Amino acid sequence: MNGNSYRCDIDALTGTVIEMSGPPAENAGETASGTSGSTVLTESEAKAAALAHAGLSSSQVTFISCSLERDDGRQIYDIEFYTSDYSEYDYEIDALTGAVIQYDYDAEYYTPPASGGSGTISASKAREIALAQVPGASASDIREFEMDYDDGHLEYEGTIIYNGMEYEFTIDGYSGAIREWEADSL
């Protein structure tokens, strides 16, 4: 589109956008209010620029973080938020102009735990799930394993080394679904 490059991963079965990233918004070089500026935007103005680009309102999202940082010699706001369906948005907003420098959108397919209980799987269950993917591997082949919270979402991450291969995995802490799986020869 207009000579710009966009990256988009789409689920082939459902048509759901899984991940999307692209170039700055067309109003690059303008502040959130549309005029050229030399003062640093407020955190609220930076959030408004990200929300406008995403086509969302503040009532539709929960902000995880918003921090003013310096990157490649310029000040940027690093903003992260998610929607009620747990789609995650990451933005870098130019702190002087309000232009979108970079953005990323991930559909996390998060299913919140059932209200009747914890709804989580145990670490030992997560290990079993990972080992089931590598026939012949045993618990002693798991070299790294940790429980982690990614944006408040429980997951288990680890590495299995077996038979000349390294397997890295991320398992959903609620459903037991394998979120990421990589296999590389050593």
Side-chain angles (χ1 to χ4, degrees):
M1 179 190 293
N2 297 331
N4 294 321
S5 175
Y6 293 84
R7 183 177 166 277
C8 191
D9 293 338
I10 300 174
D11 184 299
L13 296 175
T14 66
T16 301
V17 175
I18 297 169
E19 185 173 338
M20 180 174 67
S21 61
E26 292 190 21
N27 65 343
E30 298 179 357
T31 63
S33 62
T35 61
S36 181
S38 60
T39 60
V40 175
L41 297 174
T42 65
E43 190 173 291
S44 295
E45 290 171 322
K47 286 178 178 179
L51 289 171
H53 185 267
L56 298 167
S57 69
S58 60
S59 65
Q60 295 174 295
V61 304
T62 299
F63 284 96
I64 297 167
S65 65
C66 181
S67 58
L68 183 60
E69 301 173 1
R70 185 163 291 280
D71 186 32
D72 295 330
R74 67 175 161 187
Q75 288 185 299
I76 63 161
Y77 277 99
D78 187 4
I79 301 169
E80 188 173 340
F81 56 90
Y82 63 91
T83 60
S84 62
D85 66 354
Y86 293 91
S87 295
E88 179 188 337
Y89 293 79
D90 297 299
Y91 275 86
E92 288 184 8
I93 303 292
D94 187 297
L96 294 177
T97 66
V100 175
I101 298 168
Q102 182 177 357
Y103 73 96
D104 186 302
Y105 163 84
D106 297 305
E108 299 294 333
Y109 300 110
Y110 174 84
T111 303
S115 59
S118 70
T120 62
I121 64 167
S122 68
S124 61
K125 179 65 175 172
R127 284 184 186 96
E128 288 175 27
I129 292 168
L131 287 170
Q133 300 300 308
V134 185
S138 66
S140 64
D141 297 312
I142 297 177
R143 302 296 167 90
E144 295 177 20
F145 186 84
E146 68 180 16
M147 181 177 73
D148 188 26
Y149 285 91
D150 183 15
D151 300 330
H153 183 79
L154 174 66
E155 57 188 28
Y156 296 96
E157 300 174 340
T159 303
I160 298 171
I161 297 180
Y162 180 72
N163 203 18
M165 295 290 290
E166 178 182 56
Y167 305 90
E168 292 182 12
F169 59 88
T170 302
I171 296 174
D172 183 272
Y174 299 99
S175 69
I178 296 173
R179 296 254 179 237
E180 295 179 26
W181 186 269
E182 289 184 30
D184 294 309
S185 63
L186 294 174

